[in-house]
Amino acid sequence: MKKYLTIEDTIGATPLVRLQRIPGEFGERRGNVILAKLEGNNPAGSVKDRAASSMIRQAEARGDIKPGDTLIEATSGNTGIALAMTAAVRGYKMILIMPDNLSVERRASMTAYGAQLILTRADQGGMEYARDLALKMQAEGKGKVLDQFANDDNPLAHVQGTGPEIWEQTDGRVTHFVSAMGTTGTIMGVASYLHSKNPAVRIVGAQPAEGSQIPGIRKWPEEYQPKIYRPEKVDEFELISQAEAEHMARRLAAEEGIFGGISSAGALVAAMRVAARAENATIVFIVCDRGDRYLSTGVFN
């Protein structure tokens, strides 16, 4: 009997596409190519599908969890949606904790997959408060926290998947990898793999400029710094303003036909800065989710 794929089996193997117009004078004239890794093509719509599947599968393999158990996670959106999908596929109950200032599309996606959603007041401390509440619920026996911020199975997904894909899709020509920094799982895992193939590849992290609120891009207080984060793996940091990210998101859709989220555009802002000072570079950036997840925010109006 023919074996067919499940929806979870379609995670990964996402396209890598060349930008044609936005690079302008910093593109072909300087010998540079800017490539977008389209992670919104994953089944639940983001790069976090990879980490969610990895964290649940690896925990199962260790015997830490089994189908029917309740899982808990604090999330700003994409990880929660990805976990809700993976939990639905693999037979878990899912409780997600999210600040109430994040887009309604993300909330609706989580509950569509059957997850229970707990909204916390953003003025109570945002994601930091949500993370504390998740651990408190675990201590009270209400479920198991996967903890994307401290779980090595998060970056492992990118050591095993995203990194090798980028290397193969560029035939080993990649010179710079650019990613938004949130939980840091993507940038840590891809950096580990690419550096194992070529230590000269430059890893560039996009972080929010002072006062900017960009979904998916964070600079954590010291006490909440993700335990999976290794600062020595990032060669350069680019501070991105909210206005720059939002403007670039509109350009990315209108000029390149790539409908990406705000953090994806922030990564492109950083990639363009790299291109402005580089020559003969192959620059890959992560389009971590789709823009339709942000329509209610008015960014694309």
Side-chain angles (χ1 to χ4, degrees), residues 32 34 43-44 47 66-67 69 82 87 114 129 150 165 184 187-188 199 201 227 231 233 249 256 271-272 294:
N32 296 330
I34 300 180
V47 68
K66 62 185 186 304
D69 287 349
Y129 178 82
E165 289 172 28
T184 72
I187 197 167
M188 290 295 99
V201 174
K227 289 186 171 62
K233 290 188 177 182
E256 298 286 352
M272 286 296 295
Y294 304 88

Side-chain angles (χ1 to χ4, degrees), residues 34-284:
I34 300 180
L35 302 169
K37 183 75 165 144
L38 302 183
E39 290 298 300
N41 285 36
N42 282 307
S46 85
V47 68
K48 300 295 189 178
D49 289 20
R50 298 177 187 263
S53 178
S54 176
M55 289 191 294
I56 289 180
R57 283 175 176 265
Q58 295 296 332
E60 274 184 6
R62 289 190 297 269
D64 296 342
I65 58 174
K66 62 185 186 304
D69 287 349
T70 297
L71 307 178
I72 304 171
E73 191 71 11
T75 176
S76 63
N78 285 332
T79 301
I81 296 167
L83 283 171
M85 178 200 71
T86 309
V89 171
R90 303 188 74 81
Y92 291 88
K93 301 182 183 95
M94 191 77 235
I95 299 173
L96 297 168
I97 306 169
M98 188 174 91
D100 63 6
N101 63 340
L102 297 166
S103 71
V104 295
E105 292 89 350
R106 297 206 230 183
R107 302 184 204 178
S109 298
M110 293 175 197
T111 55
Y113 285 118
Q116 176 188 342
L117 183 58
I118 297 174
L119 291 176
T120 62
R121 284 172 41 194
D123 60 11
Q124 286 181 317
M127 273 301 296
E128 289 85 352
Y129 178 82
R131 288 169 65 179
D132 289 342
L133 180 57
L135 294 173
K136 180 174 180 285
M137 290 178 68
Q138 177 176 251
E140 292 169 350
K142 294 178 179 176
K144 167 77 173 175
V145 173
L146 292 168
D147 196 358
Q148 59 181 314
F149 304 95
N151 191 330
D152 289 332
D153 298 328
N154 176 350
L156 178 66
H158 306 289
V159 173
Q160 295 180 337
T162 322
E165 289 172 28
I166 290 169
W167 185 257
E168 290 163 14
Q169 288 169 319
T170 62
D171 294 326
R173 292 185 175 93
V174 57
T175 60
H176 297 77
F177 173 71
V178 186
S179 175
M181 294 179 66
T183 60
T184 72
T186 302
I187 197 167
M188 290 295 99
V190 174
S192 293
Y193 182 82
L194 293 182
H195 280 161
S196 76
K197 303 298 286 186
N198 178 6
V201 174
R202 300 289 289 176
I203 307 300
V204 183
Q207 292 191 319
E210 189 69 35
S212 292
Q213 298 286 327
I214 306 172
I217 306 183
R218 288 293 308 263
K219 192 169 184 180
W220 298 97
E222 191 61 38
E223 63 271 26
Y224 288 95
Q225 190 76 258
K227 289 186 171 62
I228 59 173
Y229 176 54
R230 301 288 181 270
E232 67 276 7
K233 290 188 177 182
V234 183
D235 298 302
E236 306 170 28
F237 298 90
E238 293 290 345
L239 298 180
I240 312 299
S241 75
Q242 185 173 340
E244 285 177 303
E246 292 179 354
H247 177 67
M248 186 60 84
R250 292 187 288 270
R251 287 191 65 194
L252 188 57
E255 297 178 38
E256 298 286 352
I258 298 173
F259 194 20
I262 319 305
S263 59
S264 308
L268 176 52
V269 171
M272 286 296 295
R273 291 180 189 170
V274 171
R277 57 182 182 258
E279 292 183 352
N280 303 314
T282 299
I283 304 161
V284 176

